[in-house]
Amino acid sequence: LQPSTISDVAKAAGVSTATVSRVLSGGSHVSDKTRRQVEKAANELGYTGNAMARALRSKHSGIIGMIVPSISNPFFTALVESVEHELHSVGKTLFLCDSQGSVELEAQRLKSLQQSHVDGIIISPCHGIESAVAINAVPLTTPVVQLDQFVLGTATDWVGVDDARAMEMLVAHLAEQGVKSAVFVSSASTNSSTKARLDGFLDVAARYQIEVRPEDIMLGRFSVDWGEEAGSALAQRDHLPDAIVCGADIVAFGIIRAFNVAGIAIPGRVKLTGFDDVSYASIVTPTLTTVRQPTRLLAAEAVRILSHGPRGETNAFAKVAFAPELVVRESTALN
Amino acid sequence: LQPSTISDVAKAAGVSTATVSRVLSGGSHVSDKTRRQVEKAANELGYTGNAMARALRSKHSGIIGMIVPSISNPFFTALVESVEHELHSVGKTLFLCDSQGSVELEAQRLKSLQQSHVDGIIISPCHGIESAVAINAVPLTTPVVQLDQFVLGTATDWVGVDDARAMEMLVAHLAEQGVKSAVFVSSASTNSSTKARLDGFLDVAARYQIEVRPEDIMLGRFSVDWGEEAGSALAQRDHLPDAIVCGADIVAFGIIRAFNVAGIAIPGRVKLTGFDDVSYASIVTPTLTTVRQPTRLLAAEAVRILSHGPRGETNAFAKVAFAPELVVRESTALN
DNA sequence: GTGAAAGCGCTAACAC
DNA sequence: GTGTTAGCGCTTTCAC
């Protein structure tokens, strides 16, 4: 009833445990005959191996830990799927953690990954500043790569998207559609993505002479609920802006919901844009104009970086920004 | 640079490793003085512990493995979140795997969990029949609970929702709205959820004298794409049914998309229902009438069952079916 | 090509 | 209360 061990197999095959180990792990320097004996014995005993014992001894577990702020945000879901897929193709497995947007939980997860001696960590930090302590507490022996957000005052590789470029494309498109004033709705500006997108937005808006007043910058959380809240507030206003630019698709979904209730037509009265191009962006009504993050590429690059193992002291950290892609849909159509 | 071990701490605190172990794990039978010494030493050395060594020795890892067919299906996302939350509250951690709807991948994941010697497995099987071999291959020492779907010919606990009851509520509601004919769109009937829902649907439809012809049962996959495909096919028909009943919300989303394109009004021309009540059900247009699965309760029960540890040979397996809840929204409104 | 032996870091008996 | 000892199941020198 107890799972069989390597020595059970050794005994059954009439060889030493060392030989069994050799056969089972790549198996160089073993005669074909012993190999077959061992494989037969292993099969008959239903030997599966003990990953912990192996990891304890060999110092690597084949496990990559990943921490995201919210698995229910479809952007992160897609990211996780891509990472999982990518890891699988290099024979590694994923240990997924959700920090629920909490710095404390995030620190806890990070520590737990550390204790599990994972071979590397991919983290989408939940806070652009406060996540620093936890991230810096990870020993340098464990390679870490930040995905999406980059935390100030940390020293790790980073993979993300070129936010400035994305806003450039988005705002240029809006200007083309005749937009003269816009509102920006996103998470708190302590989020590095929001910060970069907001900076880019303001910059490009100014260049296109699109009006953005101080009260037109509405910062809350990356959630449908916050979008809905902001949307309701906007619906109360005496006059609406020409466009609403959101820092994430899920925020835009909230706006759609609020405007549905308020009876405000999109894109008729207001144009709307998102960010990420999650799958639901093409399902909601109206379908959402947004900027696509190349999640496959992001994931592949993050995994590639981790595979290089712990880095030397000297070489600089990688900062890889992928080009986003503008996806025009109904929510910014001309009236 | 190397992470410090228990013997480093022992040395620093001037005690034996056994004492350090006692302090660090609950710590009964230690004097306050030594406890403080040990804690001080551990802190100064930044001791974190090695989960693998502990698990190897103590025979339990504190890790629960979970396998779902598709993490991007928001129903499973919600389930995962709930399970994660529930596990966290009992001090366990989650090892999440995505089988991508593939029986082979599922078997592989299951084996990998087994090798990792997880304390228990929560699985939403991807196939109502073919998943059996892999599930039955799990040693009886590892408690397994099936969530959502139940695989024929397996002997484990199960937690899910009362599908028959759900269809009863749904169809009764449709009948009330004057529906006289309906189409059923879901995954392949080898999926036990689809099977139960379809059986229930046909049963109740007959009772309410709602017409369902053989070609009105459209079985594909649990995905938005399949919904869209089925929706397009329906849109071509000479005359539409009064209602479309979907086996999952995401399938209904596909129908919405297809009907949007085809210019068929919901609920004006056709009424539409989903199943699960994922968060997007209240975001799409029209908002979706559906049946809510109590994911919190499902997760809590699954975790509760696992916490009881491996079961005795004698006692029967639990089959816990929670009551669903009808959620009426725009997609079934009277014209 | 194969075996013997020494641990990886930790916990659980068992002494004292 | 605390230390000593013996492994958990595996990999990896180092002999032969």
Side-chain angles (χ1 to χ4, degrees):
Chain A
L1 199 54
Q2 281 289 52
S4 55
T5 74
I6 200 172
S7 60
D8 295 334
V9 178
K11 213 166 295 168
V15 297
S16 75
T17 62
T19 302
V20 176
S21 177
R22 283 191 194 100
V23 172
L24 265 35
S25 56
S28 50
H29 302 287
V30 221
S31 75
D32 264 20
K33 182 159 154 268
T34 24
R35 151 166 298 117
R36 267 191 299 274
Q37 282 172 15
V38 170
E39 278 165 351
K40 181 159 165 286
N43 261 328
E44 284 172 354
L45 290 170
Y47 176 78
T48 51
N50 183 325
M52 294 178 308
R54 170 163 34 246
L56 180 59
R57 182 62 234 237
S58 68
K59 302 290 186 193
H60 39 262
S61 57
I63 296 176
I64 296 293
M66 180 169 185
I67 305 180
V68 296
S70 163
I71 202 196
S72 61
N73 179 337
F75 168 62
F76 290 117
T77 314
L79 217 43
V80 167
E81 270 195 318
S82 298
V83 167
E84 223 267 352
H85 187 259
E86 213 60 44
L87 285 176
H88 189 247
S89 72
V90 295
K92 294 194 176 294
T93 54
L94 178 66
F95 198 153
L96 180 65
C97 302
D98 189 326
S99 65
Q100 294 173 43
S102 143
V103 177
E104 289 77 33
L105 262 179
E106 184 178 72
Q108 215 170 297
R109 303 318 202 182
L110 224 27
K111 193 174 169 193
S112 138
L113 289 182
Q114 207 169 317
Q115 286 177 183
S116 303
H117 285 235
V118 295
D119 290 348
I121 296 175
I122 298 178
I123 180 170
S124 281
C126 66
H127 196 285
I129 296 161
E130 295 173 17
S131 289
V133 277
I135 291 176
N136 287 329
V138 177
L140 292 79
T141 42
T142 310
V144 174
V145 40
Q146 295 182 58
L147 200 48
D148 186 49
Q149 205 176 166
F150 181 80
V151 180
L152 243 56
T154 54
T156 82
D157 295 309
W158 172 83
V159 177
V161 84
D162 187 339
D163 287 307
R165 184 103 191 285
M167 292 322 286
E168 171 80 48
M169 296 160 81
L170 220 38
V171 176
H173 166 68
L174 288 174
E176 247 171 55
Q177 307 299 94
V179 165
K180 301 283 183 221
S181 63
V183 161
F184 184 83
V185 185
S186 191
S187 74
S189 63
T190 47
N191 182 296
S192 76
S193 298
T194 285
K195 188 176 181 329
R197 288 165 202 175
L198 175 56
D199 288 353
F201 168 72
L202 291 175
D203 201 54
V204 187
R207 214 151 69 236
Y208 282 98
Q209 303 186 6
I210 290 176
E211 184 191 32
V212 183
R213 295 165 308 163
E215 66 266 37
D216 291 341
I217 297 170
M218 307 176 76
L219 271 23
R221 286 151 287 132
F222 275 145
S223 72
V224 175
D225 286 348
W226 163 242
E228 188 165 15
E229 215 174 293
S232 303
L234 282 168
Q236 311 275 350
R237 285 201 184 174
D238 281 344
H239 54 255
L240 292 165
D242 291 344
I244 301 172
V245 173
C246 296
D249 288 349
I250 56 170
V251 173
F253 296 157
I255 305 259
I256 290 179
R257 198 197 246 169
F259 279 23
N260 253 346
V261 172
I264 298 170
I266 307 172
R269 286 279 299 283
V270 185
K271 305 204 185 316
L272 179 69
T273 65
F275 202 108
D276 293 342
D277 192 29
V278 302
S279 64
Y280 290 92
S282 59
I283 293 174
V284 293
T285 314
T287 55
L288 190 65
T289 292
T290 186
V291 141
R292 177 172 306 156
Q293 296 218 46
T295 48
R296 287 279 160 68
L297 298 177
L298 293 172
E301 180 64 12
V303 169
R304 204 188 59 72
I305 289 179
L306 282 189
S307 306
H308 288 340
R311 48 190 320 113
E313 286 284 315
T314 47
N315 48 50
F317 292 100
K319 296 269 174 291
V320 185
F322 283 91
E325 181 189 346
L326 182 67
V327 182
V328 177
R329 297 207 183 88
E330 295 166 0
S331 70
T332 57
L334 283 173
N335 301 330
Chain B
L1 198 53
Q2 281 290 52
S4 54
T5 73
I6 202 172
S7 60
D8 295 334
V9 177
K11 213 167 293 168
V15 297
S16 74
T17 61
T19 303
V20 176
S21 177
R22 283 190 195 101
V23 172
L24 265 35
S25 55
S28 49
H29 302 289
V30 222
S31 76
D32 264 20
K33 183 159 154 272
T34 22
R35 152 167 296 117
R36 267 191 299 273
Q37 281 172 16
V38 170
E39 278 165 351
K40 182 160 164 287
N43 261 327
E44 282 170 355
L45 290 171
Y47 175 79
T48 50
N50 183 325
M52 293 178 308
R54 172 165 30 248
L56 179 58
R57 181 64 235 237
S58 68
K59 302 289 184 193
H60 37 262
S61 58
I63 297 176
I64 297 293
M66 181 168 184
I67 305 181
V68 296
S70 162
I71 201 196
S72 61
N73 179 337
F75 168 62
F76 290 118
T77 315
L79 217 42
V80 167
E81 270 195 317
S82 298
V83 167
E84 223 266 353
H85 187 259
E86 213 60 44
L87 286 176
H88 189 247
S89 73
V90 295
K92 295 195 174 296
T93 54
L94 179 67
F95 198 154
L96 180 65
C97 301
D98 189 326
S99 64
Q100 295 173 45
S102 144
V103 177
E104 289 77 34
L105 262 179
E106 184 179 72
Q108 215 170 299
R109 303 319 204 181
L110 224 27
K111 192 173 169 194
S112 139
L113 288 182
Q114 206 170 316
Q115 286 177 184
S116 303
H117 285 235
V118 295
D119 291 347
I121 296 176
I122 298 177
I123 181 170
S124 280
C126 66
H127 196 285
I129 296 160
E130 294 173 17
S131 290
V133 277
I135 291 177
N136 287 329
V138 176
L140 292 79
T141 41
T142 310
V144 174
V145 39
Q146 295 183 58
L147 200 48
D148 187 48
Q149 207 178 161
F150 181 79
V151 180
L152 243 55
T154 54
T156 81
D157 294 308
W158 172 81
V159 178
V161 84
D162 186 340
D163 287 307
R165 184 103 192 285
M167 291 322 286
E168 170 81 49
M169 295 159 81
L170 220 38
V171 176
H173 166 68
L174 288 174
E176 247 170 55
Q177 307 299 95
V179 166
K180 301 281 184 223
S181 63
V183 161
F184 184 83
V185 185
S186 191
S187 74
S189 63
T190 47
N191 182 296
S192 76
S193 298
T194 285
K195 187 174 182 332
R197 289 167 202 173
L198 175 56
D199 289 352
F201 168 72
L202 292 175
D203 200 55
V204 187
R207 214 151 68 235
Y208 282 98
Q209 303 185 4
I210 291 175
E211 184 190 30
V212 183
R213 294 164 309 164
E215 65 266 38
D216 292 341
I217 297 170
M218 308 176 76
L219 270 22
R221 286 150 287 130
F222 275 146
S223 73
V224 175
D225 286 347
W226 162 243
E228 189 164 14
E229 217 173 291
S232 304
L234 282 168
Q236 312 275 353
R237 285 202 185 174
D238 282 342
H239 54 254
L240 291 165
D242 292 344
I244 301 172
V245 173
C246 296
D249 288 349
I250 56 172
V251 173
F253 296 157
I255 304 260
I256 290 179
R257 200 197 243 168
F259 280 22
N260 254 346
V261 172
I264 298 171
I266 307 173
R269 286 281 299 284
V270 185
K271 306 205 184 313
L272 180 69
T273 65
F275 202 109
D276 293 343
D277 193 29
V278 303
S279 64
Y280 290 92
S282 59
I283 293 174
V284 293
T285 312
T287 54
L288 189 66
T289 292
T290 187
V291 141
R292 177 173 304 156
Q293 295 220 45
T295 48
R296 289 278 158 69
L297 297 177
L298 293 173
E301 180 64 12
V303 170
R304 203 188 59 72
I305 289 178
L306 282 190
S307 306
H308 288 341
R311 48 189 323 113
E313 286 283 315
T314 48
N315 48 51
F317 292 100
K319 297 268 173 289
V320 186
F322 282 92
E325 182 189 345
L326 181 67
V327 182
V328 177
R329 297 207 183 86
E330 295 166 0
S331 69
T332 57
L334 284 173
N335 301 331

